[in-house]
Every structure is written in C-alpha cells, then in structure tokens.
C-alpha cells in the first residue's frame, strides 16, 4: 500500500466508500474486501425506477462527471434522475493496487489480480442491489472505458438496463486499441523506477508517467486539435506549456499500478465473451434503447468502429458528437461539446425505452 | 563509430558512396567529410534533362525504392528516366552518427551535429551537380521525410525542379507530428542501454528499439489495418507474430543514434524557414508541376493536412492514394498500392511540367 494524497476527498470531494464483500474475479483469484467509491445526485423515487448509473473511464473518476456532466440544465439532471457514479476498480478511489491494505494486503501493488470489465459490472450490480435497493436502471451512461462497462451492463443484464449511452467507446476492444494501450503501459513499466510495480512512491516513476502522458498527447487529441492550437482556449501559450501545465501533471499524480490495472481491463473489454466470441449474438442480447455516441475526431475509438457495432444493436441510433479535441473531448472543454451530449442524452433519457 | 552489419552491401545491395566534402550545417557546425550513398537506374540522356531524384524516408533507404517502385512497368522506368536515389544523412548508409569515423571521428555517436532537411537538399544538389553533371531535375519524388525533402527542393531550387511528387508528407511539419516523433525518440532514449547515445552496440538498446517499433504499430498503420487483420496477407497468423516477425526486427537492426538524427530532422522540416515563417510565400515559390499524394488512412500525415498545402501551390493537383495500411502503405505491400502510385506518377512524369 502507498499513501497517495491525490486519491482523497481533498482532491475528489465527497464520495461514499462501501464494501461489497469478497469479489471473485473472472480471471481467477479474488478481491477479499472489494470497496467501491461512488457518489449520488438526486433522489431515488418510490418506484425505484429513475436511477441512472454512470461508469468511469481510464484515469477518470466521478469528479469530472460531477463537475461537467451532472446538474441542473444537463440531461443528467438530479431533479429528475437518481444519478449514481461508481468509480471503477483500479481507479484509485475504489479498491486498487496502491490502496490495497487490511484484508486486501495480500493483493497490494504488483500482487493485485487481473480485473475484467465484467468484474466491475458484477460489483456495481451488487452495490446497486444490496446497498442502494436498485434492481433496474433507467439508463447506463459512460465514456471510453465507461462505454465498455455500459455495453457489458446491457449485454450481461439486459433485463435491468432500459437505456444505454456508450460514449466514445466500443463493446469489443479493437486490436489497435490493444496496441495503443500497450504503448501507454510500456511507457510506465520501462521506467527503472517502476521496479516491477514495487516502487514506494509514484514520484519514483515520474519519468515514465510523463512519457505516458505524452503518448496520450499523440492519440488522445486529434491532429486538428494540435494544428488549430485549441489548447490556447485553456489559456496556455505554447503546446509545451500545455503538456507541462496540464497533461503531464494530470497523470503524474496518479498511481502507476492503478493505471496499469485499468489498462489491462481496457485491453480485454469484449462482450462477445458471453457468447463464445460471437459479437453479433452478444450485441443481439441488448434490449436497451441505445444511443451509440462516438466523438468525430477520436483517433482510437473512431466513429467507424462504433458504427459497426451500432448497426448490430436492434433498438439503437448512431449519434456522432462533433469535437475537434478527439477522444479527450470527454473532458468537456469545448463549449460546443456539452450541448451535443445533453441533446443526445436528454432525448435518450427523457424518451421511451 | 560502431560496426553495424545492417548498413552494408550485403543488406542493401549495390550503392555508391561519394564524398561531397565538408558540409556546413544550417544549425551550425559541420560534417567534415559528408558522404552520400546513392544508386542510379537508367541512363542520363545527352540533354541531361531526364534525371529524377528520389529522396528517402525515416528508416528507409534506396532499397525499397529499388525493390518496389523502380523498374520496367513502373512510372519510375529506367528506360525513360535516369533515376537517382540518394540516402539521407543519418540513414546509416550516408554519413550518420554510427558510422562517423576518419575525418568525421569528432562527430561520432552522441556528438553528431543537428542536421536539417535543408542540409540534405544542399548536399544532394552538390552531389548531382558536381558528381553526376545534373543541373536540372525532370522530377523529385519522395515519401514521408522524402516528401519533406521534395518540398524543400521545390521551394529552395524552384528553377531546378520541373515536377514534384511529395507522397505522404508535408512541407511544414505539423505539431502532431512533432509529438508523435518525440514519443518515438523517447522510447529509445529512455532505455538505460542507450547510455546518452554512447552504447557500444544497437543490441544494448533492443528494448527501446522494440518499444519504438510498437509505437509505430499504433501510428504507422491505420485502425482498419489492424481490424481487418491485413497482416495476414504478409503470411503472419497473429498480430503478435507480425510485430515480432516483421515490425520489431525491422527496427532493432538499426542504429538508435541514426534514427534519432533522422527524427530530429523530421520534427523540423519546414519550407517556411525560407520566407520568415510565411508558408503561403514559401509554397508560392514552387514552380514545379506538383502532385500532392497523401495516403487515405494515414494517421499522422493525414490527407487533410496535405490538402491545406496543395491548395497553396499554383501548378498542383491533389491525388489521394487509397490504402488501408495507412502511412506504412509506403512499403507497397497492398496489391492496389503500386498501380495507384504508378498511375499518378506516370501522369506527372510523362506529362508537361
């Protein structure tokens, strides 16, 4: 276990931390005491049918959903919906390699077991049912790895999911995504300070974390983002300043093992595991009204890949979000981004299932 | 100096190696004895006006042009044209960090000076004029960094260049390209075996070179290349086998300092240096009949970026080469690739200037 101050209420505001008990994992092994961090907004109605689950992406937590996506005036309106954001396993807030202690001491750091997207969804379903009394979801919404979890929910628990909005992600990871995330992981693990995952502080791996951030710069934003110098809107005066003042610090505070735990999941997200590898059959299980929402300039979850999946989902629509930022448009930086998200999500959430 | 057997006639076939003497460099410093490797195909006619210069790309040499692009039945037909392929400085065949010895001993390895695309073009012009008696070029043709040299030729020596075919490259490097190539360089320099450029064999840097190759896998090929498993056409049975049997070995035989020398040039290719930063003015100097030929699925020299330059060149056309491979379509692997190249190049070379 490592004490990393980034993963705290100071940096992430209010959240609950609840144990769902022992979680046996798809790949074998288990998390003896699986704790999930989550936040809620709004009130569960008497019929218990207005809950919207939000899942989180690689390196992201409930924080960005709270700050950018949820609130009065947004589709995710707490006046209408009981919004539950659950931080994924490995996020650093829920049980993760760096914080495994007590009953989880045996799986600390490099000994943390491999977790699957499916494990997250099983854990989330248990949290919702046993701790929040939620049996069905008005909707599941998530971006990137959160979209992977959204698809997993819709395929694994079709009777529980009425609506689904996978944003900038796919149901089945692509080989290109596997290669991209592998390069991200290698930027970290190749740092001698990583020490096979047994560093004593993330500061020892800062060089690797910075290289990791700079590979995100290449793939996370679009070629046009850099060409148009969109970072100027964030009040930086050079791309170097943007890297050093935003993208590198964003990642260097994080825990290397936690990032690697999430990347391992990302590389293996695949709903076709439920159907012997048959993606058509897996997507055919989805009964949720589904809006597939890629970002136009996404370099690694390109609209083309999302389209190929949307066409296999019965009750679905293809809604492209135009954003020159590319994948990291998810940060909701462009003033034109949230209005599109809210328009699509609002139509989905407020419409029939 | 390092003895690297890859950079030899055994692996690269016939080529000439000629000293053009001392080359003073744009960034300061000089190469005391600049040697250029080159090959020729066909015969210079009496009017000395049928010469076509071919420039080389990052990690590539005359070899791939000889094997894939030049010959009977191709646009680059030695029966019509005197084709001269010049290996760039840092290619490992021409003067490069790893082979600097004798009069160049003082600039060996990490002491090699910074070379610019403009230095290559000045060196090539001297080689052509002083050693081959060529004052004007029927055409200049090059891909990727070779396109950067092609543009440099057309802007710097407009009176000498009748036709230009920049393939999959730009006249002014984009910020995204700078970031991408920086990640490539960092994959190498972060390897402890690199030892600040003073390794004693490229084998000491194999881990870094392999990571470098795997970043090429992410950006060099397209998302569709991986999704469609196009590598099967190259007789591999998994993407891992393709990486381990093709892409990694392609790079691990090479010299790290040589790759970094080329990447440094790539990151700074910019014809607007000639016009105080005014790209319109620089491209306005081009008088050559110019076919701008991006590859449709290129992830880092996307057609959009090439189009923006083509529109600023008077006597130009925009000719997209469709290839699912993306940038590394340049390897001419797809059976549909060379027919397109030959059609466009043939029309350019055989038509009016």
């Amino acid at each position: 276990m490592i004490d990393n101050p980034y993963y705290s209420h100071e940096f992430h505001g209010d959240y609950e931390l609840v144990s769902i008990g022992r979680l046996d994992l798809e790949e074998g092994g288990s998390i003896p005491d699986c704790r999930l961090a989550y936040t809620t907004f709004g009130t569960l109605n008497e019929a218990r049918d207005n809950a919207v689950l939000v899942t989180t992406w690689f390196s992201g937590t409930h924080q960005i959903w709270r700050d950018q996506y949820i609130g009065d005036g947004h589709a995710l309106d707490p006046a209408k919906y009981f919004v539950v954001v659950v931080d994924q396993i490995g996020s650093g807030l829920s049980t993760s390699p760096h914080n495994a202690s007590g009953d989880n001491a045996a799986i600390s750091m490099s000994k943390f077991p491999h977790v699957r997207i499916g494990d997250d969804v099983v854990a989330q379903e248990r949290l919702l049912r046993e701790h929040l009394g939620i049996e069905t979801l008005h909707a599941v919404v998530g971006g990137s790895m959160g979209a992977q979890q959204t698809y997993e929910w819709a395929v694994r628990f079709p009777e529980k999911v009425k609506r689904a909005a996978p944003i900038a992600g796919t149901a089945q990871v692509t080989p290109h995504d596997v290669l991209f995330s592998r390069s991200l992981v290698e930027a970290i693990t190749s740092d001698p300070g990583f020490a096979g995952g047994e560093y004593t502080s993330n500061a020892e791996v800062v060089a690797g974390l910075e290289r990791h951030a700079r590979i995100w710069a290449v793939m996370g934003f679009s070629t046009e983002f850099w060409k148009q110098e969109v970072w100027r809107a964030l009040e930086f005066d050079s791309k170097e300043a943007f890297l050093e003042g935003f993208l590198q610090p964003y990642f260097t505070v994080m825990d290397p093992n936690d990032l690697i735990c999430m990347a391992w999941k990302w590389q293996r997200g695949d709903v076709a595991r439920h159907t012997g590898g048959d993606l058509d059959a897996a997507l055919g299980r989805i009964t949720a009204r589904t809006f597939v929402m890629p970002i136009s300039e996404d370099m690694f979850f390109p609209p083309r890949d999302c389209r190929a999946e949307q066409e296999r989902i019965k009750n679905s629509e293809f809604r492209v979000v135009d954003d020159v930022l590319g994948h990291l448009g998810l940060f909701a930086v462009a003033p034109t981004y949230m209005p599109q998200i809210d328009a699509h999500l609002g139509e989905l959430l407020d419409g029939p299932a």
Side-chain angles (χ1 to χ4, degrees), chain A:
Chain A
M1 183 195 174
I2 282 181
D3 181 30
N4 181 327
Y6 173 67
Y7 302 108
S8 67
H9 291 285
E10 182 186 351
F11 284 90
H12 289 87
D14 289 339
Y15 57 88
E16 307 294 320
L17 192 61
V18 166
S19 173
I20 60 158
R22 174 193 178 92
L23 183 69
D24 292 320
L25 300 168
E26 210 174 300
E27 290 285 311
S30 64
I31 298 174
D33 177 30
C34 183
R35 291 165 182 261
L36 294 182
Y38 70 95
T39 47
T40 66
F41 305 86
T43 308
L44 187 63
N45 62 14
E46 289 215 3
R48 297 181 174 277
D49 65 2
N50 71 329
V52 175
L53 172 68
V54 173
T55 53
T56 62
W57 57 66
F58 179 86
S59 82
T61 68
H62 63 271
Q63 185 177 36
I64 188 147
W65 285 90
R66 178 194 68 214
D67 294 350
Q68 301 285 3
Y69 288 77
I70 297 168
D72 182 30
H74 288 299
L76 291 168
D77 183 351
K80 295 182 195 170
Y81 303 111
F82 182 56
V83 182
V84 184
V85 191
V86 183
D87 294 309
Q88 67 172 296
I89 299 167
S91 61
L93 297 178
S94 296
T95 295
S96 301
H98 96 273
N99 67 18
S101 62
D103 289 346
N104 292 331
I107 58 166
S108 178
M109 300 292 281
S110 69
K111 296 185 289 298
F112 204 75
H114 287 142
V115 180
R116 286 269 196 177
I117 296 286
D119 297 316
D120 268 296
V121 168
V122 165
Q124 290 160 8
E125 193 274 342
R126 199 191 298 176
L127 171 77
L128 293 176
R129 186 166 36 80
E130 296 185 353
H131 293 267
L132 297 170
I134 296 168
E135 294 278 350
T136 64
L137 289 164
H138 185 80
V140 182
V141 178
S144 197
M145 282 189 71
Q148 291 183 306
Q149 294 164 66
T150 299
Y151 276 120
E152 178 75 15
W153 262 98
V155 170
R156 183 185 279 260
F157 299 119
E159 75 290 356
K160 286 179 175 260
V161 181
K162 304 303 178 195
R163 295 165 190 79
I167 304 169
T170 56
Q172 184 173 64
V173 72
T174 65
H176 181 263
D177 255 40
V178 172
L179 294 166
F180 166 44
S181 47
R182 180 176 176 182
S183 282
L184 291 172
V185 168
E186 289 184 345
I188 295 172
T189 57
S190 63
D191 185 336
F194 180 69
E198 294 297 331
Y199 51 87
T200 59
S201 159
N202 59 317
E204 296 168 8
V205 198
V206 68
L209 288 167
E210 286 183 352
R211 286 197 298 277
H212 165 273
R214 289 191 289 268
I215 295 177
W216 271 106
V218 177
M219 290 295 296
F221 297 107
S222 73
T223 59
E224 259 330 83
F225 169 85
W226 295 108
K227 190 161 197 183
Q228 296 180 18
E229 302 188 344
V230 178
W231 40 261
R232 289 194 186 276
L234 297 167
E235 302 190 2
F236 291 97
D237 58 12
S238 72
K239 82 174 183 301
E240 292 306 314
F242 174 72
L243 291 175
E244 288 165 20
F246 175 76
L247 202 60
Q248 292 173 197
Y250 173 79
F251 283 112
T252 52
V253 295
M254 295 183 189
D255 183 77
N257 281 321
D258 292 1
L259 292 172
I260 290 166
C261 169
M262 289 185 280
W264 197 93
K265 279 194 267 184
W266 168 13
Q267 295 178 316
R268 289 160 184 83
D270 181 6
V271 296
R273 282 161 21 262
H274 295 294
T275 51
D278 184 338
L279 183 61
D280 284 334
L283 295 175
R285 284 193 186 181
I286 299 176
T287 53
R289 174 86 172 136
T290 303
F291 278 15
V292 172
M293 296 167 58
I295 297 174
S296 57
E297 292 274 352
D298 198 317
M299 302 270 286
F300 61 96
F301 284 116
R304 178 165 55 187
D305 288 347
C306 300
R307 178 86 195 197
E309 295 184 337
Q310 180 267 324
E311 289 171 346
R312 295 163 168 185
I313 301 170
K314 289 185 288 286
N315 191 13
S316 70
E317 291 194 27
F318 189 61
R319 301 290 183 102
V320 177
V321 177
D322 286 318
D323 196 334
V324 74
L325 269 82
H327 190 77
L328 296 182
L330 286 169
F331 286 153
V333 163
T336 51
Y337 176 80
M338 276 311 303
Q340 295 178 77
I341 292 288
D342 283 328
H344 296 308
L345 266 192
E347 187 180 334
L348 178 69
L349 295 181
D350 300 345

